[in-house]
Every structure is written in structure tokens, then in C-alpha cells.
Amino acid sequence: MRIDLAEAARRISAGQPVAFPTETVYGLGAPAFDARAVLEIFKIKGRPADNPLIVHIAEATQLETLVTAIPEAAHKLAKAYWPGPLAIVLPKNPVVPDAVTAGLSKVAVRCPDHPLALALIRLTGPLAAPSANTSGRPSPTRAAHVEADFGAEFPVVDGGTCSIGIESTVVDLSGHEPLLLRPGAISQDMLKHATGLTFRPVIVEKHAEAASPGMKYTHYAPKATVRWWDGQPDSKALILTVTSNRAGSANRIDYCHDFSTFAKELYDRFRQADHEGFQSVAIERFSPDAAPIAAGLLNRIEKAIQR
Ligand code: AMP
Ligand code: MG
């Protein structure tokens, strides 16, 4: 059910989570300081209790209310990339309920680059929000995806199609070593450019004790099997290619080196494959250096393959 900003703010203030658009994917938001409403998010999604949420803010100054220390590098990143697809993990202020961070003593914060998200947060205050999908399903990049998972009556602020389409980059600046917990549209090079620092990627194995707990879970996967394309035609597969510009068949989509559009459409293609009954999604391999967003895109595809 599509609702306007005033209605969304009213429901959120009453403790009822609402889905709203961001530039990465749709979020499911509740007031970050309302533990009961935050727990409702976990219930709606079927999200494991040890998978923390990102707190969304409308201005960098709200960061001060959520964390106990803001290192120079965090200031630099916020100045360079907020609003934008970058979440920064910092030591948690005790006023942030443990439900938000799944008991961790650090909290992830980001300022989303979407006018409706910013307008909503200005009405409600900081919002704790994971992606607005049933746990284990691909993240929603359109309002209709949220309704497909939560039902037609679920309240959604419709902001059209998300411009980026994969979840934010997540970095951890809470310790002495800068860590990259999740690749996304803000690349390693962009992190280094803004801070002069190298962010060590933390590879999180399935079921491992995780620095970023959410990364151990199966995410982003459709019901169809996701695999690398072997170059062969296959009428039972939805084939996604990136570098070959040959005339495609009906079941083949070629992104022609346009990795931004590929990222924007990936989850919609996953949902399309299930909707149209394809047995698999076959994706042409590419290098993590092919484009700034390529490493993030590759990470989501690999997670869908690993399932
Ligand atoms: P989602 O919003 O559904 O993309 O999930 C947010 C992801 O951000 C989680 O799965 C974690 O991997 C990461 N995250 C959120 N909060 C923290 C935190 N306090 N420490 C480390 N990682 C976090
Ligand atoms: Mg998610």
C-alpha cells in the first residue's frame, strides 16, 4: 500500500515500521531510539537477532547523538560521501538500544542520498533500517518488490526505482585498523582518496563468527540457482553478460560494460528469473576492477552463487 510522507511519519512515530526508498535499496524503518519498534523490524523480516541494523540520519550532525567518538577519517568520509551509499561503524552511544546493533558495542550509521528518505528522517529523527525484504530474499529496489515480500497492504513510500540497486559500502572505524566490511558503490579507491587510508577487506565466511554479522547469512539470492555463465546458450537460464556485444537471444541481457546499470537491475533480474520460471541465472564473469561498483556487484553475485 503506497503511503505519503506524512502518513509514513505518523506510523513510524506510533512504532509501526514503514518501507521507504533510499538510493541503494528500500529500507524498513523504525525510530532508532525505540527498542520495541526496532524489534518489530526483526519480526516482520524474519531477520536473525544477531544481524545488526544500520541507523539512517538526515544530517552529519545527528551522528554525534549516536556514537561516542568520531575519528578524523570518519569526518573525511562523511564530508566526501554523505549523503551517499556508505555506512560507517563507530563506537555506540549507550542511548542506542542494543536491539539496533544486535548487542554489539558499535553502530553503523549512514546518511542516504534520496530526497524522500531525507525528508522522512527530518520528520521522525534517526531511523534504524535494514533492507525491506523478507530475510534471505533479494533486497527490494522498487516499491512492488516490498509488496511482493510483505503483502499488498504493507505501507511503502514509493520513490520509484533505486538509483544504485545494491546495499551500501560498510566500513568500520571503531578500532585502530580501518576495515571494509561490505563492498558497495563507494569503492576501496574512493575510501583511500578521501582518507589516505587503506581499508582492509574482512572476508566473512558462511557461519563464521563475524566482524559484520550480517555478512555470514545467505542474502541476495533468488529461488533460481545463480551460477557463472559458461558461454553456452541455455533456454532454461536467464543469461546476464557484461562484455560481449553480440546480438542476444530473448533470454540474454547484455550490460555492455555498464556496471552501474547492471548493479541497479541485478535484484530485479533475480526476481524476474523466479517470476518467469527460469531454472538458473547465468552471469558472465568480470573483474572486481572493471568499474568502481564492480567489487560490490561481484560480492552480491558470489553470495547468491554460494547459497
Ligand atoms: P542490511 O541493511 O539488510 O543491508 O544489513 C545491514 C548490514 O550492515 C548487516 O548485515 C551488517 O553486515 C552491517 N552492520 C550493521 N551494523 C553493524 C555493526 N554495528 N557492526 C558491523 N556491521 C554492521
Ligand atoms: Mg538486507
Side-chain angles (χ1 to χ4, degrees):
M1 179 180 35
R2 314 293 161 97
I3 59 171
D4 65 16
L5 277 181
E7 175 64 11
R10 196 190 61 73
R11 287 179 186 239
I12 286 174
S13 302
Q16 298 161 19
V18 160
F20 65 97
T22 80
E23 81 281 31
T24 59
V25 301
Y26 276 72
L28 178 61
F33 299 112
D34 180 346
R36 204 196 53 78
V38 167
L39 288 172
E40 194 60 30
I41 288 177
F42 285 83
K43 244 195 262 169
I44 292 168
K45 287 192 53 130
R47 185 176 176 99
D50 67 348
N51 192 354
L53 310 182
I54 293 170
V55 177
H56 293 68
I57 59 177
E59 13 256 331
T61 50
Q62 288 178 322
L63 182 60
E64 289 152 28
T65 64
L66 297 163
V67 304
T68 55
I70 308 176
E72 192 51 36
H75 282 295
K76 286 179 175 165
L77 288 176
K79 188 157 183 279
Y81 301 122
W82 279 0
L86 175 68
I88 306 174
V89 174
L90 292 169
K92 176 175 101 64
N93 187 313
V95 296
V96 178
D98 285 340
V100 171
T101 61
L104 296 176
S105 58
K106 49 193 189 149
V107 61
V109 184
R110 107 173 172 95
C111 180
D113 187 15
H114 193 294
L116 291 175
L118 293 172
L120 182 62
I121 296 162
R122 287 194 183 108
L123 293 172
T124 59
L127 292 178
S131 51
N133 54 287
T134 304
S135 231
R137 296 267 297 146
S139 295
T141 55
R142 293 194 278 125
H145 296 164
V146 178
E147 291 165 341
D149 278 18
F150 296 154
E153 292 308 305
F154 197 85
V156 189
V157 176
D158 187 353
T161 304
C162 299
S163 59
I164 291 178
I166 62 171
E167 303 80 356
S168 59
T169 300
V170 181
V171 296
D172 187 338
L173 287 171
S174 69
H176 19 250
E177 187 189 15
L179 303 174
L180 174 65
L181 301 183
R182 178 170 75 183
I186 303 298
S187 66
Q188 280 271 18
D189 283 352
M190 293 164 78
L191 296 169
K192 178 147 199 180
H193 181 78
T195 61
L197 301 173
T198 300
F199 287 70
R200 183 166 65 84
V202 177
I203 310 298
V204 180
E205 300 300 332
K206 223 175 167 182
H207 307 305
E209 272 307 306
S212 182
M215 296 301 283
K216 75 186 173 201
Y217 290 108
T218 301
H219 277 85
Y220 327 124
K223 295 188 187 90
T225 307
V226 183
R227 60 180 172 86
W228 294 118
W229 188 48
D230 55 11
Q232 299 304 309
D234 179 351
S235 63
K236 296 196 178 71
L238 179 64
I239 300 172
L240 307 179
T241 59
V242 285
T243 57
S244 5
N245 199 6
R246 283 166 278 136
S249 46
N251 62 326
R252 175 163 152 205
I253 297 144
D254 186 14
Y255 286 102
C256 259
H257 303 276
D258 182 352
F259 291 91
S260 297
T261 301
F262 190 7
K264 182 173 169 172
E265 294 186 358
L266 178 73
Y267 293 141
D268 202 26
R269 296 299 177 197
F270 282 178
R271 286 175 183 261
Q272 177 194 349
D274 286 347
H275 193 69
E276 295 179 6
F278 284 105
Q279 281 178 5
S280 65
V281 181
I283 303 176
E284 186 177 22
R285 271 185 193 275
F286 55 91
S287 154
D289 305 318
I293 203 168
L297 182 58
L298 203 57
N299 169 268
R300 305 311 189 276
I301 295 167
E302 281 167 349
K303 290 210 146 258
I305 289 175
Q306 275 166 22
R307 177 181 55 155

